Amino acid sequence: MQPINNITDINSVASTETISLPINNSLSVNTAQLGVAINTRQIVNYDRIEYTASEFMELLASNNLPKKPIYVEGDIVIDNNTEITQLPENLTIMGKLALDNCPNIKSIPVGLRSRELLIYSCKNLVYFAQNIEIDVLSITSCNSLSMFSNTVVNEELSVASCNSITRLPKVSGSIQKLYLYNISNLILPEDLKVQGNVYLSGCNGSNFLGKNIELCGDFTVDNARNLTKLPDRLKVHGDIK
């Protein structure tokens, strides 16, 4: 086993050697090319790799992502991209992740963590995989999206014009805002509690409100033509508009 003191020494080690990194459980890389070197060598003593946003984008384009969990400092914006088909599993983005018109992305990967996830017009996005946690989630015009598998939203959720969605992701008890627009087949989850305001527009399913819903802020309903009454177990502490 060949120990190294700095990640920049990695390319000086033969590809047949097992490399031992300093025991700090983190590996900070300076260029995207080092990710290629990491994949061609057996490395121990680290549990994640850290990238800047620009380094991560370069590595994502090269399709040589390491198999260890990846941490990215900064915001990632991917728009009008037909080359990228998937994001790496166990990806943590400390800022915002925005996907705009990425037609070949079909799923949000296992273990994604992000402060904010914005998805717009990804027409072939079908599902969120397991173990995903987002603080702020906004999804617009993703008509193939139908499934959230154990996805948790902590602060704010906005979904608009996603006609295949019938169930929302799980929201934590501390969620502050819930905005839903033009989702005809939606049914809100039972035992839903929202600390802030809820706005529903164009959600025309007759039973979309569910049961045991507690809203601590204002509740606004607009253009819900099939809604004939509010459920008995709906608690609204603010105003109903």
Side-chain angles (χ1 to χ4, degrees):
M1 183 177 297
Q2 177 68 44
I4 62 172
N5 296 318
N6 191 293
I7 184 56
T8 56
D9 297 332
I10 189 171
N11 288 314
S12 66
V13 180
S15 60
T16 56
E17 294 252 22
T18 296
I19 300 171
S20 177
L21 297 172
I23 303 176
N24 58 7
N25 290 324
S26 178
L27 179 61
S28 181
V29 298
N30 296 318
T31 65
Q33 284 74 21
L34 288 176
V36 180
I38 290 167
N39 275 340
T40 61
R41 291 161 169 82
Q42 183 178 356
I43 304 177
V44 298
N45 288 346
Y46 75 100
D47 58 12
R48 74 185 197 188
I49 304 176
E50 298 175 358
Y51 293 93
T52 66
S54 59
E55 289 166 352
F56 174 76
M57 288 300 296
E58 185 178 348
L59 198 60
L60 187 63
S62 73
N63 200 28
N64 279 303
L65 290 165
K67 297 177 177 60
K68 287 284 188 175
I70 294 173
Y71 280 62
V72 180
E73 293 286 347
D75 297 336
I76 298 295
V77 177
I78 305 173
D79 58 356
N80 299 312
N81 189 299
T82 59
E83 301 298 324
I84 296 175
T85 59
Q86 61 183 1
L87 297 173
E89 295 184 357
N90 299 313
L91 171 65
T92 297
I93 296 177
M94 306 308 293
K96 172 181 69 178
L97 171 60
L99 304 174
D100 183 354
N101 189 26
C102 299
N104 292 324
I105 292 181
K106 297 182 179 180
S107 67
I108 302 301
V110 170
L112 176 69
R113 299 286 187 275
S114 180
R115 175 71 185 86
E116 186 175 3
L117 175 58
L118 310 177
I119 306 175
Y120 180 79
S121 193
C122 293
K123 62 181 182 180
N124 292 313
L125 178 65
V126 176
Y127 68 95
F128 280 50
Q130 295 284 339
N131 194 26
I132 293 173
E133 186 171 355
I134 306 294
D135 289 337
V136 177
L137 175 60
S138 177
I139 308 171
T140 303
S141 299
C142 297
N143 284 323
S144 297
L145 179 62
S146 61
M147 186 171 63
F148 298 93
S149 300
N150 193 23
T151 297
V152 177
V153 180
N154 292 320
E155 296 180 13
E156 183 175 330
L157 174 61
S158 174
V159 182
S161 302
C162 298
N163 292 325
S164 296
I165 291 179
T166 58
R167 301 282 179 177
L168 292 178
K170 181 180 179 181
V171 295
S172 71
S174 61
I175 190 169
Q176 296 297 315
K177 297 179 181 179
L178 177 62
Y179 298 148
L180 304 174
Y181 306 86
N182 299 325
I183 309 175
S184 58
N185 297 313
L186 178 68
I187 299 176
L188 290 184
E190 295 187 7
D191 302 316
L192 172 66
K193 184 174 182 179
V194 179
Q195 297 293 334
N197 297 332
V198 174
Y199 182 78
L200 306 178
S201 177
C203 299
N204 292 315
S206 59
N207 297 313
F208 74 88
L209 283 179
K211 300 177 182 178
N212 299 329
I213 296 176
E214 183 175 1
L215 311 178
C216 297
D218 295 339
F219 179 42
T220 302
V221 181
D222 178 47
N223 190 25
R225 59 180 179 269
N226 292 327
L227 180 65
T228 57
K229 67 176 183 177
L230 297 178
D232 295 335
R233 295 184 181 181
L234 173 67
K235 297 180 182 179
V236 181
H237 299 281
D239 295 329
I240 299 178
K241 302 176 183 181

